[in-house]
Amino acid sequence: MVEKVITLENISLIDFLGTENQNIKQLAAAFPSSKIISRGNEIKIQGQTPEITKIHEILSSLIDHYHKFGKITHNSVNRYLSSDSFTEEDVIVTSPDVIVYGSKGGIIKAKTPNQKKLVDLVENNDLVFALGPAGTGKTYISVAMAVRALKNKEVKKIIISRPVVEAGENLGFLPGDMKEKVDPYLRPIYDALEDMIPMEKLKYYQESKIIEIAPLAYMRGRTLSNAFVLLDEAQNTTPAQIKMFLTRMGPTSKVMINGDRSQIDLPHRQKSGLIDALHTLRDIKGIGFIEMQPEDVMRHRLVRDIVEAYTKADEDRQTARLEAEAAEEGTPVSVNGRKRKV
């Protein structure tokens, strides 16, 4: 008799084994001459070599299925037990356009040319800056790339952070402890993760620190190794904060920094760390930069028009400010590429 042991890593046991190990019992019933024993995160197979090989192949397929869809069902086991295990679902899985599968099996992929460029930049650079207006998919694509890296075992953990900067409301006046105060600022990240990872599995990942979501201040003093690290809302960092964050980068890590220059909530006259970093690091090779555009907005059709309207208003205010400053000095000002005497 031959024995083989399979260890389940980064897997929620209830989602994989089923209630009261029903999935393993179903598999064992299909191979009555072998023993399949589940203890903790280990599955022990005992039997003759040809059958053990077959059981191992099925379990490997089920593990791959779990990492793609987040859970194993009775039908999943049946499908891999049958001789015709390749269905249309498998063809979709192999599509190169798919970043990751959602918690309900939906496809998550880049939908615009700039989103595809962002995916390529992340694949080919260890540090990427993604800028652009709200709704262009910066956070969503970044989280999807992080989840894919974790599922493919390219990294051991995901670390997602953002500065906690109030937009008109002071944290001190919000109810609850620090976590309850901070969580609303991290809600967009939780929303994206819940779209991509089943709730029970996400809870397991967070409890075991495989996925960490924390305010930027909690990053100080750490070395972030073998991780996919995302800094969101980076326009609200100070130069000192973003330098601190960038210098946390450890070996075999990927780092993404996202921000929107039009939504800086820092105190007046406080320089944005994101703007400072773009100027300071622009000539360093190995860093990817991408500017998302209004046409990349994937929310309600009105959002694109709103973004464009605010962009034009900002440009008009900038022009008016330059003209006012020039009027005081009596010098020409450049407006839309033409110098105009004031």
Side-chain angles (χ1 to χ4, degrees), residues 155-322:
V155 297
K156 289 186 177 179
K157 61 171 62 177
I158 296 172
I159 301 170
I160 304 176
S161 184
R162 63 180 288 175
V164 177
V165 176
E166 306 89 5
E169 184 174 15
N170 192 300
L171 273 174
F173 294 103
L174 294 175
D177 59 20
M178 178 55 70
K179 183 180 184 302
E180 291 171 321
K181 290 181 179 183
V182 166
D183 273 357
Y185 291 83
L186 303 172
R187 191 66 251 172
I189 294 167
Y190 284 114
D191 289 343
L193 285 169
E194 287 167 10
D195 277 356
M196 300 170 201
I197 302 174
M199 189 63 69
E200 282 300 315
K201 188 176 180 185
L202 178 57
K203 183 179 178 182
Y204 163 76
Y205 278 163
Q206 289 186 263
E207 288 174 351
S208 54
K209 302 297 183 183
I210 294 170
I211 294 180
E212 292 183 54
I213 306 173
L216 178 60
Y218 290 14
M219 297 296 107
R220 185 173 297 279
R222 300 182 61 181
T223 299
L224 308 177
S225 299
N226 204 0
F228 194 111
V229 189
L230 167 63
L231 175 61
D232 206 33
E233 300 290 342
Q235 75 274 2
N236 288 325
T237 61
T238 65
Q241 285 175 325
I242 205 163
K243 179 184 176 184
M244 176 274 290
F245 178 81
L246 287 168
T247 53
R248 301 306 94 205
M249 190 174 178
T252 64
S253 287
K254 276 193 178 289
V255 175
M256 286 196 67
I257 296 179
N258 297 343
D260 179 357
R261 281 183 278 213
S262 70
Q263 293 192 10
I264 297 174
D265 297 315
L266 293 168
H268 185 56
R269 297 186 181 279
Q270 172 65 65
K271 187 174 183 180
S272 166
L274 176 63
I275 308 301
D276 184 69
L278 293 174
H279 289 297
T280 304
L281 308 177
R282 63 182 181 273
D283 296 326
I284 296 180
K285 292 181 179 179
I287 301 179
F289 297 90
I290 185 169
E291 186 90 38
M292 312 296 279
Q293 301 299 324
E295 54 264 30
D296 296 308
V297 172
M298 301 304 296
R299 293 179 183 169
H300 191 285
R301 61 177 181 81
L302 286 175
V303 174
R304 183 182 303 176
D305 295 337
I306 291 168
V307 168
E308 289 177 341
Y310 272 100
T311 299
K312 184 179 183 303
D314 288 341
E315 290 173 352
D316 290 345
R317 281 192 289 269
Q318 176 75 355
T319 299
R321 184 180 65 79
L322 290 173

Side-chain angles (χ1 to χ4, degrees), residues 6-13 16 41-42 63 66-67 150-151 153 156 201 204-205 210:
I6 297 174
T7 302
L8 304 176
E9 297 180 351
N10 298 337
I11 287 177
S12 167
L13 298 182
F16 185 84
N41 68 335
E42 290 187 346
I63 289 169
Y66 171 85
H67 283 302
L150 182 65
K151 288 188 174 184
K153 298 184 179 179
K156 289 186 177 179
K201 188 176 180 185
Y204 163 76
Y205 278 163
I210 294 170

Side-chain angles (χ1 to χ4, degrees), residues 48-60:
Q48 300 304 312
T49 300
E51 202 162 82
I52 280 190
T53 302
K54 180 65 176 173
I55 295 169
H56 183 259
E57 288 175 354
I58 292 171
L59 280 169
S60 296

Side-chain angles (χ1 to χ4, degrees), residues 6-74:
I6 297 174
T7 302
L8 304 176
E9 297 180 351
N10 298 337
I11 287 177
S12 167
L13 298 182
I14 183 65
D15 287 332
F16 185 84
L17 303 174
T19 305
E20 297 182 350
N21 289 355
Q22 284 300 318
N23 294 334
I24 294 302
K25 291 175 181 177
Q26 184 183 349
L27 182 60
F31 297 94
S33 59
S34 298
K35 281 188 177 181
I36 305 177
I37 305 164
S38 172
R39 286 202 181 100
N41 68 335
E42 290 187 346
I43 297 176
K44 186 182 294 184
I45 314 166
Q46 297 174 337
Q48 300 304 312
T49 300
E51 202 162 82
I52 280 190
T53 302
K54 180 65 176 173
I55 295 169
H56 183 259
E57 288 175 354
I58 292 171
L59 280 169
S60 296
S61 296
L62 287 170
I63 289 169
D64 289 341
H65 182 98
Y66 171 85
H67 283 302
K68 288 168 185 171
F69 298 103
K71 89 183 285 188
I72 301 297
T73 65
H74 174 81

